[in-house]
């Protein structure tokens, strides 16, 4: 079973290289693949959402989701699995971006997008931004395979794990927010009785 998955991973990347890569598409995929560099754009988005009062709770959920995903994916799973990058294993695979220094599984770029996107989708009344970011997450996943730095299972695993982290972060934030609101209400009730 695992051998079949590993073989499928390799075949998909070689298919991308042989049948999907094109001179006109390479620069586009390079740009999309680089958007998530170090998670900076997602960190900035979370900060902006937290600064704006109307979207503060959405920002808190997105930031919590991104943080939890970073801990689970980058600091835990990547270290434990320590999967070698596909261009180091598949001799005929040519990467079209600089080599990466960390492990391959799961994709940090894809995890960042999906953790923030699903966090926003869950926490926001307006579902459009979350849905658009999820669509961008699929595009990011495609680009990471296209440029030759991740296996399909790297991006699938990242999307699933990050989405679960977002779900967990959403419920944790809601629980804590509920406790804070209850404490404030109890204090207001006590203050009202004192008057």
């Amino acid at each position: 079973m695992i051998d079949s998955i590993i073989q499928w991973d390799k075949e998909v990347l070689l298919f991308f290289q042989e049948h999907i890569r094109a001179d006109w598409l390479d620069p586009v995929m390079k740009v999309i693949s680089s958007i998530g560099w170090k998670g900076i754009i997602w960190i900035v988005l979370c900060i902006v959402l937290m600064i704006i009062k109307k979207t503060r709770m959405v920002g808190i959920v997105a930031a919590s989701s991104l943080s939890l995903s970073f801990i689970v994916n980058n600091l835990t799973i990547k270290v434990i699995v320590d999967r070698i990058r596909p261009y180091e294993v598949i001799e005929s695979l040519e990467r079209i971006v600089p080599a990466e220094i960390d492990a391959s599984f799961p994709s940090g770029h894809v995890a960042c997008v999906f953790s923030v996107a699903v966090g926003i989708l869950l926490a926001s009344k307006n579902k459009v931004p979350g849905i658009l970011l999820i669509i961008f997450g699929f595009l990011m996943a495609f680009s990471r395979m296209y440029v030759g730095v991740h296996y399909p299972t790297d991006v699938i695993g990242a999307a699933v794990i990050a989405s679960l982290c977002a779900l967990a972060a959403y419920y944790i934030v809601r629980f804590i927010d509920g406790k804070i609101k209850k404490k404030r209400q109890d204090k207001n009730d006590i203050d009202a009785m004192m008057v």
Side-chain angles (χ1 to χ4, degrees):
M1 172 87 171
I2 291 176
D3 289 340
S4 299
I5 293 169
I6 291 169
Q7 186 59 34
W8 175 78
D9 261 348
K10 291 177 181 178
E11 287 172 5
V12 169
L13 291 184
L14 290 174
F15 178 85
F16 272 44
Q17 180 173 287
E18 294 167 21
H19 302 289
I20 297 177
R21 278 190 190 167
D23 291 340
W24 66 270
L25 190 56
D26 287 358
V28 176
M29 289 296 116
K30 286 178 184 180
V31 168
I32 292 168
S33 181
S34 69
I35 287 174
W37 183 76
K38 302 286 185 193
I40 293 169
I41 191 170
W42 312 116
I43 294 166
V44 170
L45 176 61
C46 291
I47 291 168
V48 169
L49 289 172
M50 287 189 290
I51 289 171
I52 301 167
K53 188 174 183 180
K54 187 178 177 183
T55 59
R56 186 162 296 145
M57 189 52 68
V58 175
I60 291 169
V61 170
S64 301
S65 176
L66 183 62
S67 300
L68 182 59
S69 177
F70 177 75
I71 291 166
V72 170
N73 284 305
N74 291 60
L75 301 181
T76 308
I77 297 173
K78 265 188 188 276
V79 174
I80 293 169
V81 175
D82 197 28
R83 187 177 197 187
I84 298 170
R85 294 278 177 171
Y87 54 81
E88 295 175 11
V89 177
I90 306 168
E91 288 181 22
S92 54
L93 181 66
E94 297 172 17
R95 61 180 162 73
I96 58 172
V97 293
E100 306 269 337
I101 58 169
D102 61 346
S104 190
F105 181 87
S107 167
H109 285 66
V110 174
C112 284
V113 181
F114 273 90
S115 62
V116 172
V118 174
I120 289 172
L121 182 68
L122 291 169
S124 181
K125 289 178 184 168
N126 181 0
K127 301 302 179 192
V128 174
I131 291 168
L132 290 175
L133 282 174
I134 288 172
I135 292 167
F136 179 75
F138 284 110
L139 189 57
M140 173 66 75
F142 178 83
S143 76
R144 299 301 283 167
M145 293 183 290
Y146 182 97
V147 299
V149 295
H150 279 294
Y151 292 102
T153 50
D154 295 342
V155 298
I156 292 167
V160 170
I161 296 163
S163 297
L164 292 172
C165 287
L167 191 63
Y170 171 70
Y171 283 110
I172 291 167
V173 169
R174 274 188 53 186
F175 176 78
I176 292 169
D177 185 51
K179 290 286 188 186
I180 291 169
K181 284 178 180 172
K182 179 158 179 16
K183 203 172 216 178
R184 281 186 192 149
Q185 184 60 48
D186 291 347
K187 184 183 182 309
N188 290 342
D189 291 347
I190 290 168
D191 290 345
M193 289 194 309
M194 299 287 231
V195 175

